[in-house]
Amino acid sequence: MANHTLAEFIREEEESKANKLKRVSLAEALNLKPKGLLSSSSSAHDLRHIELEKEKENIASPIGVLEACMEEFHSHQVAKPKTSCPRARHWTNFFKLLKKKSFKRLGSLPHFSIPKIAKWKSKSSRESHVLSKLYSFNSTWVTFSLSELRNATNNYNSENIIGRGGFADVYKGCLPDGQLIAVKKLTKGNTDDNTVGFLSELGIIAHVDHPNTAKLVGCCVERDMQLVFELSTLGSLGSLLHGSDKNKLDWSKRYKIALGIADGLLYLHESCHRRIIHRDIKTDNILLTENFEPQICDFGLAKWLPEQWTHRNIPQFEGTFGYFAPEYFMHGTVDEKTDVYAFGVLLLEIITGRPAVDHLQQSVVIWAKPFLEANLTKDLVDPSLGDDYDRGQLGCVVIVTMLRSHNKYGRDSKTSRKIPLRRTYSEELLDAQEYNSTKYLRDLKRHQQIALGLEI
Ligand SMILES: Nc1ncnc2c1ncn2[C@@H]1O[C@H](COP(=O)(O)OP(=O)(O)OP(=O)(O)O)[C@@H](O)[C@H]1O
């Protein structure tokens, strides 16, 4: 080791990481399991368990990396007298608790990359610095105490609630230095799921840094698990587009938002240290700053996709109806296209002002299709915009939309996780197959016509 340069050291570590990342796909993994595991009686829970078992082996999972980094960063502080660093103690306690928990599913959490941590702890400080470089871990965020967040949110006053997701309440808050924050407090749902979701979201977002992604300020692991973000003062695109303040969204803002989301997605897919698939792109997960700059948020379902993988297979059906790509329905296949497809649905919402799925369960894609096929693009435009839009820009957005969004059915994005599915998977599958066999080619031809003629 003594003769190694830093570059050599990093290269070796990258190679070793790449080898460890050569994991087989879930389907291959399932073949290793006893026969019959995937029988018709296999539950989503079984599949989830298998997926978690697989992740456990992957030291580069968001949770594994998070734990390795947190333990490394705080290891020297833990050695100090207990009173010296209560924040580090919160993390240590948090991980200790996780390890002790007898929850069956927590037992399979991929947070015990112990050999890795032990290995790093025995290395020099220079080498442990390399750890953070290798993991591209942004350690600038703060570990808040519970009392700090209580103070910031007026003791979690219900008047401070600015958003409610499937798993969390989001509170507006203010730090002593005047910084406005949004505190995402995981309260709903199953504790195991919350823990997995919290660690996974934190592990992923700690690596993300782009003007069009939500800004993590810190987190709290004292009692409740909480994520703290910079406040996006205009709330979500969904609440603005489908709420009473719709008139704030003139065409130029909508166009700016569409471009910003595209930039954010491109960053996640191609420019970020790790290839990230968001998996839940929708208007509710796009926050808006006071300048209408869009920020992609809610990385609770996001996955890392190692370079050498073309895709991932996800056994558990997660996300929001109305935004699912056909191949996800058919094969559980996830890659960049999964997000790009959902982005197409989102673009259609921006143009039309309609939700992905309305209260009558009608999909905006199905609604829009006849207009697109008849080349009546102007009839797609949100009536609240009148004639006040740029036709050239609209043409571009429509073309992208036609390439991306053909999913036929869905549900209200806000309630999709909370109410049972009415459509069966097989119905969705048939739609997807139909789309794959005939419509794609027809739509592609149509796209080419519009691109050449741009008749709007
Ligand atoms: N940084 C922020 N600034 C302003 N509002 C926010 C912020 N973060 C979240 N919100 C609001 O809270 C809502 C829920 O947040 P988020 O989507 O992260 O929660 P969730 O429980 O993961 O939701 P989901 O059910 O979609 O998974 C958002 O739609 C938005 O309205």
Side-chain angles (χ1 to χ4, degrees):
M1 188 65 224
N3 297 329
H4 275 44
T5 63
L6 189 63
E8 284 169 335
F9 183 71
I10 291 178
R11 195 174 56 246
E12 275 180 14
E13 281 301 315
E14 290 286 14
E15 278 168 9
S16 123
K17 247 185 3 168
N19 287 334
K20 282 175 185 155
L21 285 171
K22 279 178 191 158
R23 300 190 321 165
V24 288
S25 70
L26 179 69
E28 287 168 309
L30 291 172
N31 289 337
L32 301 175
K33 301 279 173 185
K35 279 188 180 170
L37 186 65
L38 257 190
S39 68
S40 55
S41 63
S42 288
S43 66
H45 179 275
D46 293 335
L47 294 171
R48 172 81 171 155
H49 181 77
I50 291 160
E51 172 74 355
L52 286 173
E53 281 296 322
K54 285 296 302 164
E55 288 225 355
K56 189 176 171 184
E57 293 159 21
N58 180 7
I59 59 117
S61 77
I63 299 178
V65 168
L66 179 70
E67 190 201 8
C69 292
M70 292 312 292
E71 294 227 3
E72 188 63 34
F73 289 141
H74 291 310
S75 58
H76 67 286
Q77 292 169 316
V78 173
K80 291 181 189 171
K82 278 195 166 183
T83 49
S84 67
C85 189
R87 291 158 209 271
R89 213 167 61 237
H90 291 153
W91 271 105
T92 311
N93 291 344
F94 180 72
F95 280 121
K96 262 192 204 152
L97 195 69
L98 278 184
K99 288 170 190 178
K100 271 192 201 152
K101 285 227 175 185
S102 58
F103 293 130
K104 275 185 205 156
R105 291 172 61 194
L106 278 184
S108 65
L109 259 176
H111 58 259
F112 300 123
S113 42
I114 297 298
K116 184 77 183 168
I117 292 169
K119 182 180 153 202
W120 280 105
K121 275 185 176 167
S122 66
K123 288 182 181 292
S124 71
S125 60
R126 186 197 71 163
E127 288 155 1
S128 61
H129 172 68
V130 176
L131 172 75
S132 61
K133 285 206 158 202
L134 276 178
Y135 285 144
S136 312
F137 191 73
N138 170 11
S139 62
T140 56
W141 45 268
V142 179
T143 302
F144 289 98
S145 69
L146 188 58
S147 65
E148 282 171 322
L149 294 186
R150 274 194 184 132
N151 290 339
T153 58
N154 194 13
N155 204 16
Y156 301 101
N157 195 314
S158 56
E159 286 182 9
N160 287 39
I161 292 184
I162 50 170
R164 284 206 151 112
F167 301 99
D169 287 340
V170 182
Y171 294 81
K172 181 179 174 173
C174 185
L175 295 176
D177 64 0
Q179 181 178 8
L180 293 175
I181 52 170
V183 180
K184 182 171 171 179
K185 189 173 185 224
L186 303 184
T187 47
K188 305 167 191 172
N190 170 304
T191 315
D192 299 8
D193 283 341
N194 279 351
T195 308
V196 175
F198 168 81
L199 289 174
S200 184
E201 183 165 5
L202 183 58
I204 285 192
I205 204 155
H207 294 79
V208 169
D209 183 17
H210 186 269
N212 298 111
T213 56
K215 302 279 164 296
L216 182 72
V217 177
C219 68
C220 173
V221 287
E222 193 184 344
R223 223 164 317 153
D224 291 322
M225 290 168 285
Q226 302 177 65
L227 292 169
V228 181
F229 294 93
E230 281 179 16
L231 184 78
S232 297
T233 45
L234 291 177
S236 73
L237 171 62
S239 59
L240 216 54
L241 193 59
H242 307 308
S244 52
D245 280 339
K246 192 179 193 167
N247 57 353
K248 287 186 181 164
L249 285 174
D250 61 24
W251 174 257
S252 66
K253 296 201 178 83
R254 294 186 196 206
Y255 191 62
K256 173 181 175 170
I257 291 166
L259 294 183
I261 300 168
D263 281 350
L265 270 184
L266 195 64
Y267 164 78
L268 293 177
H269 294 166
E270 291 183 13
S271 313
C272 191
H273 291 292
R274 294 169 195 276
R275 202 170 143 209
I276 294 173
I277 314 301
H278 184 281
R279 295 212 300 143
D280 203 11
I281 292 295
K282 59 179 178 180
T283 52
D284 285 341
N285 286 342
I286 305 297
L287 301 171
L288 297 174
T289 68
E290 58 181 344
N291 299 323
F292 290 88
E293 197 62 59
Q295 296 185 319
I296 299 170
C297 75
D298 193 357
F299 287 76
L301 296 184
K303 296 277 182 199
W304 284 342
L305 205 54
E307 282 308 315
Q308 59 272 55
W309 291 16
T310 55
H311 63 274
R312 258 182 104 134
N313 286 90
I314 306 289
Q316 194 182 27
F317 210 68
E318 298 166 314
T320 302
F321 274 85
Y323 296 89
F324 288 127
E327 67 274 12
Y328 186 44
F329 271 128
M330 294 171 75
H331 309 295
T333 301
V334 165
D335 61 12
E336 286 85 346
K337 284 176 272 182
T338 315
D339 286 344
V340 174
Y341 184 92
F343 176 56
V345 179
L346 189 150
L347 287 180
L348 212 43
E349 285 184 78
I350 289 179
I351 297 170
T352 65
R354 289 169 169 260
V357 180
D358 68 17
H359 63 288
L360 297 172
Q361 304 302 317
Q362 188 181 28
S363 152
V364 68
V365 179
I366 294 180
W367 178 86
K369 207 148 212 155
F371 296 108
L372 291 167
E373 286 173 351
N375 202 16
L376 297 169
T377 311
K378 67 176 168 28
D379 291 339
L380 287 174
V381 178
D382 187 343
S384 73
L385 290 173
D387 282 335
D388 201 5
Y389 59 89
D390 183 307
R391 284 157 195 257
Q393 290 175 352
L394 175 68
C396 292
V397 179
V398 166
I399 287 166
V400 175
T401 306
M402 289 186 71
L403 277 176
R404 307 305 184 203
S405 57
H406 299 277
N407 191 18
K408 293 180 102 184
Y409 296 96
R411 304 192 59 81
D412 182 336
S413 59
K414 273 202 173 297
T415 54
S416 62
R417 289 202 193 154
K418 298 164 205 159
I419 54 180
L421 312 178
R422 282 193 207 149
R423 288 179 58 76
T424 62
Y425 287 176
S426 54
E427 282 174 303
E428 297 288 359
L429 192 66
L430 284 173
D431 291 338
Q433 280 169 338
E434 187 197 0
Y435 158 75
N436 272 3
S437 58
T438 57
K439 289 199 165 56
Y440 176 77
L441 291 176
R442 207 173 67 208
D443 290 338
L444 195 58
K445 195 169 160 215
R446 184 92 195 94
H447 149 70
Q448 286 164 342
Q449 284 171 351
I450 290 186
L452 293 174
L454 224 109
E455 304 161 36
I456 294 167

